[in-house]
Amino acid sequence: MKWQATSFLENRIFDCRLVKDNLINNRWNISSLTTHQRCNYRAFQETYPWSSTSGPDQRNESGVPQKIGSYYQTPRPHPWRPTMGYETIELAPIAEHPLTNQLVHPNYTPPSLTSEPLSFPNLVTGYEKNPQHAARSALYTRYTPSEWINSCITTYADADVNRHQSERLRSEALRIMRETDEKTSQGQREAGRRIGERITDVTFWRNELNTELEKLIAESAILAECKRSVQKALEDTEPPLNVAQECLYHREGRMSIEKVHDHVEKSLLVEIDNLRNSQEKLKALHDKICKQLSDCRAAQFALEDDIAHKESTLGIDTVCHQLSNSSRGINYYGGIEKYDPTVSTAETWSSASSHRINRSQMERGKSSQLRSDAEAMMNAVATAVWDCWSNSNNSLNKRASEMMEAKNRVQLHLHKTQQEIFDIEKNIELLRKAVQDKSNPLKVAQTRLEARSHRNGLEMCKDMAHVRLVQEVCDIQDSVTTLHRKLQEAETQHQQLLKTRANLENDLKNKTNALFIDREKCMGIRRSFPVHNLIKY
């Protein structure tokens, strides 16, 4: 059986070799099919889905291939071609015979026939062989004149009827052609107008989306800058915190009574607590800004995706709007009108773009509000940090002044104590000299009494001289006892003064150390504020 290219197109069944590019470029030459491919019927049935898997022997007596019960279903459905309603039939190839001179011989009989074919004599050649048989056969094959006349009349009548019917069909065909041409032109114009309106709508929404996208990108850039400012503010709170903690660490080096929980320490603790609270607030604000940036990027992606789809749609619709009957590249796509690939309607399409724009506007509003809150918070944090810093510095200055005054007083008392120690040491020396000066008069008095004790007889009289010597010795001894007691008291007081001097010196050392810590170490690192960019907000 010989297959032609039109047989495939008439079946309107899709074949991968019949795509437009292959047909235009003549990549699949139908005439180049080999005889082996035409004869291999089973391979041909597997290749084309409209053929049946049954053999060529399944035919009825009339020779017409029998119908297959099920409708054709495409084994590889295409998104634009629905299932066709054609019934498939079984194709049976016709036996091929070589073309020879025997096929045109009138008396040739194929070997498959059981009887000989009938042959009629020829008046020219058969007359020489059998004249009687040829004449009789000639009479049997002739018609009468009446039959010839009737045949002519019938032929003329049929010709008239066919001409009238042809004229009627031509006029009807012309009318239908005019009507279909007008209907087709009107439909094409209406479709072009609708496509133009669609291009206008898509262009409008594309412009709206582009405008909103530009605003969203600008707002995202401002919010990103605000995020960097918050991050910088958060980083700028770390140096003051380190300074305050270092001041507390240095003040732990105070000794003895100087390690007091004064107003400076309270101010430093308040400053540290305020800095930590500020850091927590800035971190929370930073997290909110990051989340808002993520939401803005999501809205931006939705806008960009919608814009990309609308740009693609504009290109397709513009090409479709410019197509005409004389355009190149137009082709048949059977069944495409039955395939509905749409996923939205005009209302849902416009509402989707409007929803994306509304979402972008909402995100821009949130971003603007968040930027305002961030600026207010950074200003509040900067003010609080600066106030705490100033309070701590003022407390340190006040404490340093108090410490300097106390140090001066200690120095004054130390000087006075030192002078008193010098004076009492001189007094002790005088007391010792006085005690020593009483030794000779006591020796004289006692010597006198001892010498007078050697008097004899009644000369041992208790006269006024004896009484006065005894009183003198007693007075000298009382004076020496008094002087010793005063000397002991003076020495004791001297030790107390020495202890007081030591205490004053130790206190002076502690106050000097505390003053050095507050005025040099603490105020030395707090003379300049370590945050430079935080105050400008």
Side-chain angles (χ1 to χ4, degrees), residues 45-243:
Q45 286 180 331
E46 293 176 357
T47 304
Y48 297 97
W50 60 77
S51 62
S52 173
T53 57
S54 60
D57 296 335
Q58 298 179 0
R59 292 182 296 174
N60 53 16
E61 295 178 357
S62 62
V64 179
Q66 61 182 358
K67 296 182 179 180
I68 305 301
S70 62
Y71 287 101
Y72 166 69
Q73 294 182 357
T74 306
R76 295 181 181 177
H78 301 284
W80 54 272
R81 180 182 292 278
T83 302
M84 305 299 292
Y86 298 107
E87 294 181 355
T88 59
I89 60 175
E90 178 185 357
L91 300 179
I94 301 175
E96 296 182 354
H97 298 281
L99 184 61
T100 60
N101 294 330
Q102 295 177 351
L103 294 178
V104 298
H105 195 276
N107 294 327
Y108 173 75
T109 302
S112 59
L113 297 178
T114 58
S115 60
E116 293 293 333
L118 295 175
S119 60
F120 296 92
N122 193 336
L123 291 178
V124 179
T125 59
Y127 182 80
E128 297 177 356
K129 297 180 179 179
N130 192 348
Q132 295 178 357
H133 183 272
R136 189 165 48 253
S137 297
L139 291 176
Y140 291 158
T141 58
R142 296 294 186 268
Y143 296 96
T144 62
S146 61
E147 289 177 347
W148 178 80
I149 293 172
N150 291 332
S151 176
C152 291
I153 293 173
T154 302
T155 301
Y156 301 154
D158 290 341
D160 291 337
V161 170
N162 289 332
R163 284 197 309 274
H164 291 301
Q165 186 175 2
S166 177
E167 290 177 359
R168 183 179 59 82
L169 288 177
R170 283 190 296 106
S171 62
E172 184 71 18
L174 288 175
R175 183 184 61 81
I176 292 176
M177 282 189 293
R178 293 190 186 96
E179 290 179 357
T180 54
D181 288 343
E182 182 64 25
K183 184 178 181 181
T184 302
S185 300
Q186 181 67 25
Q188 195 173 34
R189 287 193 298 270
E190 181 68 20
R193 186 178 65 83
R194 294 293 184 181
I195 292 177
E197 293 177 355
R198 184 62 178 176
I199 290 174
T200 303
D201 294 341
V202 174
T203 303
F204 169 76
W205 283 111
R206 192 266 315 269
N207 296 335
E208 291 293 325
L209 290 170
N210 281 327
T211 303
E212 183 61 30
L213 179 61
E214 292 176 359
K215 294 180 181 179
L216 182 61
I217 290 175
E219 181 65 29
S220 299
I222 299 175
L223 187 61
E225 184 65 26
C226 180
K227 174 188 173 183
R228 287 190 291 271
S229 300
V230 172
Q231 181 68 27
K232 184 65 170 58
L234 182 60
E235 293 174 356
D236 288 342
T237 56
E238 194 65 26
L241 180 61
N242 295 333
V243 168

Side-chain angles (χ1 to χ4, degrees), residues 470-493:
V470 172
Q471 184 179 0
E472 182 183 0
V473 171
C474 290
D475 291 340
I476 291 174
Q477 288 179 346
D478 290 340
S479 298
V480 170
T481 302
T482 301
L483 290 174
H484 275 292
R485 187 174 62 252
K486 290 297 181 183
L487 178 60
Q488 186 178 4
E489 290 177 359
E491 290 178 349
T492 302
Q493 187 62 36

Side-chain angles (χ1 to χ4, degrees), residues 3-22:
W3 294 90
Q4 299 294 334
T6 56
S7 62
F8 298 104
L9 298 177
E10 289 174 356
N11 281 277
R12 301 182 64 83
I13 303 300
F14 181 81
D15 188 88
C16 63
R17 294 168 294 180
L18 293 176
V19 296
K20 182 178 71 174
D21 295 337
N22 293 334

